Amino acid sequence: MSCFVLWSSTISSFFSFCFEFRGGKIRYFLCRRIFARCGNNVNIERRANFGSGRLIEIGDNSGLGINCVIPSNTIIGSNVMMGPNCYILGQNHKFDRTDIPMIQQGMTAGNKQTIIEDDVWIGRNVTMTSGRHISKGSIIGAQCLLCKDFPAFSIIGGNPSRLIRSRLNK
């Protein structure tokens, strides 16, 4: 009986691996035809949400994490790692007037474009406000609320985001 259970779990693991491998290849194949630019060796994880995707640019060796949400006008450079559950806001609510409820004031005009340069590591559950520019070589720590821009090679974390240190200073 235990041999059957072991064999059964091994077969199940094998089929699960094969399906996910093929699923990743299928997502990559489709995104190459949807995105404005899609580099080589791009990994689009399951449940990634990118709107229409027609304006997205993504460089070589980069990926969209599991269950991530990005606006369809995002630019992602090469060698970018994105953890699961990352969320990039495309717009925000207006709240300038106090005489009417915020829900009735509408949204900010247009989607501000988010740009992620080369060699960036974005940790799990990171939320970015719209229009962020993440500079080359930066690391965004897990569960960070990225609400402003930082220089290249920064290590950033916290809520609200703050510079932890530069990768250039050792």
Side-chain angles (χ1 to χ4, degrees):
M1 189 70 165
S2 64
C3 288
F4 175 74
V5 171
L6 179 62
W7 180 80
S8 177
S9 67
T10 302
I11 294 297
S12 175
S13 297
F14 174 75
F15 282 119
S16 176
F17 169 78
C18 288
F19 179 73
E20 184 55 36
F21 177 75
R22 259 195 347 214
K25 294 292 185 185
I26 291 169
R27 286 188 294 272
Y28 175 62
F29 173 82
L30 294 172
C31 287
R32 286 189 67 95
R33 280 137 188 87
I34 296 170
F35 293 171
R37 187 175 80 77
C38 187
N40 294 316
N41 195 33
V42 169
N43 182 33
I44 310 296
E45 290 287 357
R46 65 187 183 271
R47 295 189 310 272
N49 183 330
F50 43 78
S52 72
R54 289 181 289 180
L55 301 176
I56 290 178
E57 297 180 25
I58 187 167
D60 297 336
N61 307 309
S62 293
L64 300 180
I66 295 169
N67 205 36
C68 75
V69 178
I70 67 171
S72 61
N73 64 345
T74 304
I75 296 176
I76 299 172
S78 296
N79 304 303
V80 173
M81 299 181 289
M82 182 182 293
N85 303 317
C86 291
Y87 194 90
I88 302 174
L89 297 168
Q91 296 185 64
N92 203 352
H93 293 276
K94 290 183 181 178
F95 54 88
D96 299 332
R97 296 181 56 185
T98 57
D99 59 326
I100 59 173
M102 290 179 278
I103 197 168
Q104 295 175 2
Q105 293 185 41
M107 303 296 283
T108 56
N111 285 348
K112 294 181 182 177
Q113 186 174 50
T114 297
I115 299 172
I116 303 169
E117 292 185 3
D118 297 341
D119 190 29
V120 170
W121 178 13
I122 303 169
R124 168 187 284 274
N125 296 326
V126 170
T127 300
M128 297 177 215
T129 58
S130 62
R132 293 299 105 227
H133 186 120
I134 302 174
S135 299
K136 179 179 181 166
S138 293
I139 299 171
I140 315 297
Q143 298 188 0
C144 176
L145 172 59
L146 190 65
C147 52
K148 58 184 177 179
D149 299 339
F150 293 90
F153 300 102
S154 294
I155 299 176
I156 304 155
N159 179 3
S161 54
R162 66 178 182 84
L163 179 65
I164 295 172
R165 72 175 178 90
S166 172
R167 290 180 59 206
L168 299 175
N169 303 333
K170 295 185 181 187

